[in-house]
Amino acid sequence: MKIKKYMAGMLILSGALLLGACGKRTDEPEEIYVGVACYNESDVFIGELIDCLREQLNGLSEDGLQTTVTIRDAAGSQRTQNDQVKALIEEGSNILCINLVDRADPSEIIDLARENNIPVIFFNREPVAEDMMQWEQLYYVGAKAKQSGVMQGELAAERIRADSRVDRNRDGKIQYVVLEGEPGHQDSIIRTENAVDTLKNEGIELEKLSYGIANWNRAQAQNRMMQMIGQHSNEIELVLANNDDMALGAIDAYAKLNITESALPVFFGIDGTDAGLKAVMESQLAGTVYNDKEGQAAAMAKLAVALVSGEGLEKMEFENGRYIYLPYYKITIDNAADFLNFF
Ligand code: BGC
Ligand code: CA
């Protein structure tokens, strides 16, 4: 009899503990512990995106949601990132925001998250669809590479049509080179393909002179561009870069070689980073395509709250159930200033 009473007491106690741990306590604010892992904070766009994310997440505290944000930088190593995610989980994260180093290698992180039942919001570096199917608590926030490529192509076509000086040798064709981001990144190949296809569809005759892989990086782009200028001297009329930093690196190369304005090609980037927007305002960059970091950061913060609190998820709009894509915007000298610290 005594034992039974004791057991019943234990059951009530453990029930109460369970309720305490899992039940909704609407009278108290949710505590959100966000663990953020990024592939490389020295990447200019990622650095700016992380600043926006930090701002958005800290803003939640002002809305009465207690939020703690921890950010880890993998500096380009997937192995480091796996360890960092493990530590973020041990430190108590209840939501993870992951910018994969290797977008084809998320399995270890997915396993860790699933074992600990912590939802994951991947961002900017999109895992392949197959991996996104590994668990139903995996989400993605980013933008559609194709749209940015099409917009870059449209901007270039508009410029070429409006300004006959772009075709400097007047052969009716535009001699161009491409600066590409990391091989294997969803934004590299797709942006290049769509920018070039769009130009062709717009009736612009093109001649590809060369391309260089510069891994999103300004200094590498400067090197690649110096080599291409070495091979093609002043034949290059158009530079399509997969991001602003590489477009700026190409401009650096021409500056370093003291090439005068009359022999400069037109340059196009993607991102609308602070430096990219300034270069558009100064007419160094003919145009760029805004990669909406503010929108992406806001969507991630909203999704993080919904996933931790279990409330509001049904009001969010997803593609294929678990993807959020923010639109890109075309930028020229006419609207660049509006985007600089506009949001
Ligand atoms: C941006 C690049 C950035 C890359 C990092 C792309 O969406 O356009 O600037 O380097 O993401 O993953
Ligand atoms: Ca030409």
Side-chain angles (χ1 to χ4, degrees):
M1 199 49 193
K2 247 188 177 167
I3 290 173
K4 264 194 186 162
K5 238 187 185 168
Y6 172 77
M7 294 266 289
M10 281 295 283
L11 275 175
I12 289 166
L13 189 68
S14 55
L17 280 175
L18 272 175
L19 258 184
C22 307
K24 282 263 115 51
R25 295 178 307 181
T26 40
D27 50 324
E28 276 180 43
E30 295 285 348
E31 290 191 28
I32 305 177
Y33 294 94
V34 195
V36 182
C38 66
Y39 99 98
N40 197 341
E41 245 189 313
S42 70
D43 177 302
V44 174
F45 176 74
I46 292 298
E48 292 184 6
L49 173 59
I50 293 291
D51 286 345
C52 292
L53 183 61
R54 198 184 280 119
E55 212 171 283
Q56 283 287 334
L57 292 170
N58 289 333
L60 296 174
S61 301
E62 287 158 25
D63 299 340
L65 295 165
Q66 238 182 294
T67 317
T68 310
V69 186
T70 310
I71 298 169
R72 295 273 178 266
D73 177 12
S77 156
Q78 188 58 61
R79 195 181 277 239
T80 303
Q81 187 169 65
N82 295 347
D83 293 342
Q84 288 175 335
V85 170
K86 206 173 197 179
L88 285 168
I89 292 174
E90 280 161 10
E91 287 156 22
S93 299
N94 53 13
I95 179 83
L96 292 167
C97 296
I98 310 286
N99 175 226
L100 287 165
V101 177
D102 182 350
R103 62 185 278 261
D105 189 15
S107 290
E108 199 168 322
I109 290 176
I110 294 174
D111 288 347
L112 281 167
R114 187 173 33 202
E115 279 158 25
N116 293 279
N117 199 30
I118 302 167
V120 181
I121 305 170
F122 290 108
F123 65 100
N124 171 263
R125 300 161 77 86
E126 185 174 339
V128 294
E130 216 173 63
D131 285 324
M132 287 291 286
M133 304 291 278
Q134 285 195 46
W135 188 36
E136 69 278 4
Q137 291 278 67
L138 307 176
Y139 292 81
Y140 179 71
V141 174
K144 284 189 178 157
K146 178 171 179 181
Q147 187 188 30
S148 55
V150 168
M151 286 183 169
Q152 189 183 55
E154 286 171 355
L155 284 169
E158 279 159 32
R159 176 60 181 265
I160 291 162
R161 271 198 299 265
D163 183 357
S164 60
R165 290 169 305 175
V166 176
D167 180 14
R168 283 202 321 272
N169 66 355
R170 298 177 183 278
D171 67 347
K173 291 185 222 157
I174 301 300
Q175 280 71 28
Y176 77 101
V177 302
V178 182
L179 282 165
E180 291 183 5
E182 288 162 276
H185 191 300
Q186 82 276 351
D187 290 340
S188 300
I189 320 147
I190 300 178
R191 282 177 180 170
T192 304
E193 270 176 15
N194 284 283
V196 170
D197 286 352
T198 302
L199 275 159
K200 287 182 184 158
N201 293 341
E202 297 257 348
I204 308 290
E205 274 217 59
L206 293 175
E207 184 187 345
K208 182 171 185 171
L209 295 180
S210 187
Y211 76 99
I213 294 173
N215 299 305
W216 308 119
N217 180 279
R218 184 166 178 161
Q220 287 185 38
Q222 179 183 326
N223 279 334
R224 295 283 97 80
M225 197 67 224
M226 303 267 267
Q227 288 164 359
M228 294 194 282
I229 298 169
Q231 284 155 8
H232 300 283
S233 54
N234 63 358
E235 283 172 55
I236 304 166
E237 296 172 339
L238 166 68
V239 177
L240 297 172
N242 286 168
N243 77 346
D244 281 358
D245 238 35
M246 295 191 293
L248 294 169
I251 295 170
D252 294 340
Y254 280 91
K256 195 155 183 194
L257 295 168
N258 284 321
I259 295 176
T260 54
E261 206 167 319
S262 62
L264 281 185
V266 286
F267 304 88
F268 289 88
I270 291 176
D271 277 343
T273 56
D274 291 348
L277 291 172
K278 281 186 195 129
V280 174
M281 288 165 70
E282 288 161 6
S283 296
Q284 291 180 310
L285 204 54
T288 187
V289 178
Y290 200 72
N291 195 352
D292 184 3
K293 54 185 184 289
E294 287 82 4
Q296 291 160 25
M300 288 166 70
K302 198 170 168 197
L303 182 54
V305 173
L307 289 169
V308 173
S309 67
E311 282 165 29
L313 204 59
E314 66 290 344
K315 285 191 214 119
M316 297 191 69
E317 279 186 32
F318 296 98
E319 265 182 55
N320 290 328
R322 290 189 267 125
Y323 292 78
I324 299 176
Y325 294 107
L326 278 293
Y328 284 98
Y329 304 94
K330 284 193 231 178
I331 295 189
T332 63
I333 194 160
D334 296 331
N335 63 349
D338 302 342
F339 282 79
L340 199 60
N341 303 320
F342 171 75
F343 291 96

